[in-house]
Amino acid sequence: MPLPLFQVDAFTSQPFKGNPAAVCLMDGSREDGWMRDVAAEMNLSETAFLLPRSDGYELRWFTPTVEVALCGHATLASAHVLWETGLLRSAEQARFHTKSGLLTADRREEWIELDLPVKREVQSDPPPDLLEALGCKATYVGKNQFDYLVEVADESSLRALRPDHKRLSSLGVRGVIVTSRGSQGFDFVSRFFAPGSGIDEDPVTGSAHCCLGPYWEAKLGKSEFRAFQASERGGEILVRVEGDRVKLSGKAVTVLRGELA
């Protein structure tokens, strides 16, 4: 039977902004190779695969080349699809069983709030190619289980980055988060580069904010933030740190509905 397939722009209320994710509603288990092939065919930063369970949904995420252990924007897109299609009532919590444990999503009026695990970084010496590949000087470099985190002096430096993606792909990590203090009402801004995972620059990266939230909490002495990811598409995220969890809020809009043969 054909499977319902959606394309959703996450962390935005405008079509063709934010981060696009594909969401596939499955009627049974499929082989990993099939999911990798579908994700490669969709050629988006993430494709989410949802399989119903008695207490929620099994959720897996694939880039065009690899499976990942945590993805915020495709989780937000998945919750949006479940409510939009009526598979969940508007007041019902979305519950996802993932490689990062149980993740939940709740509707807060026009916002969707995700409950994700903190991914704190620790200060780290940068590998030789990191800053050269980014083409910048760093005020701080850290690393968590997924990514390097690089703080630069200001937002203009961050926006001017034109990395050497081939060199970044050799670092042996999922990706590189670059951040600075923000402007125009945003507490901080960021960009995310992951050529080693098949994505040169990710438009809006929820999982990166599982690191950015606690990082800026320690620097700014507060736990709630308005953040902006300064990619070409751009996207806004509300961030709240609560102990070992991060609450990320964003909006989403469906831009395509179809069937996977």
Side-chain angles (χ1 to χ4, degrees), residues 106-113 236 238 249-251:
D106 293 278
R107 295 186 75 167
R108 309 291 189 213
E109 296 179 349
E110 73 269 31
W111 296 80
I112 297 172
E113 182 182 79
E236 179 180 353
L238 304 182
S249 294
K251 300 178 181 179

Side-chain angles (χ1 to χ4, degrees), residues 36-213:
R36 283 193 296 269
D37 287 344
V38 172
E41 184 77 9
M42 298 306 297
N43 199 32
L44 301 172
S45 57
E46 304 287 348
T47 297
F49 297 89
L50 285 171
L51 182 63
R53 289 177 40 163
S54 60
D55 56 347
Y57 287 83
E58 178 183 307
L59 172 59
R60 295 175 69 179
W61 312 279
F62 286 79
T63 78
T65 59
V66 298
E67 183 175 11
V68 298
L70 181 63
C71 178
H73 88 279
T75 304
L76 188 147
S78 297
H80 170 79
V81 166
L82 292 176
W83 287 313
E84 186 177 63
T85 58
L87 290 171
L88 290 180
R89 299 184 303 274
S90 60
E92 192 174 359
Q93 184 180 73
R95 297 171 61 82
F96 301 113
H97 300 271
T98 77
K99 289 183 179 294
S100 290
L102 176 65
L103 310 180
T104 63
D106 293 278
R107 295 186 75 167
R108 309 291 189 213
E109 296 179 349
E110 73 269 31
W111 296 80
I112 297 172
E113 182 182 79
L114 305 178
D115 184 338
L116 305 178
V118 158
K119 298 295 178 183
R120 300 182 192 277
E121 97 301 333
V122 295
Q123 190 165 7
S124 173
D125 293 327
D129 278 350
L130 176 59
L131 299 182
E132 291 183 9
L134 287 173
C136 70
K137 295 181 179 180
T139 61
Y140 175 87
V141 177
K143 187 175 183 291
N144 67 10
Q145 71 182 94
F146 296 140
D147 310 309
Y148 281 104
L149 172 68
V150 177
E151 184 183 352
V152 294
D154 51 47
E155 185 174 339
S156 60
S157 300
L158 178 140
R159 289 180 177 271
L161 291 176
R162 299 294 182 268
D164 182 333
H165 295 296
K166 184 175 180 180
R167 293 181 72 181
L168 285 182
S169 70
S170 68
L171 293 176
V173 294
R174 182 188 70 161
V176 178
I177 309 164
V178 185
T179 188
S180 75
R181 289 288 298 268
S183 62
Q184 300 179 6
F186 293 103
D187 295 291
F188 63 85
V189 295
S190 65
R191 294 174 69 185
F192 185 78
F193 307 104
S197 299
I199 309 158
D200 284 350
E201 180 167 5
D202 195 37
V204 194
T205 315
S207 61
H209 289 75
C210 296
C211 178
L212 288 164

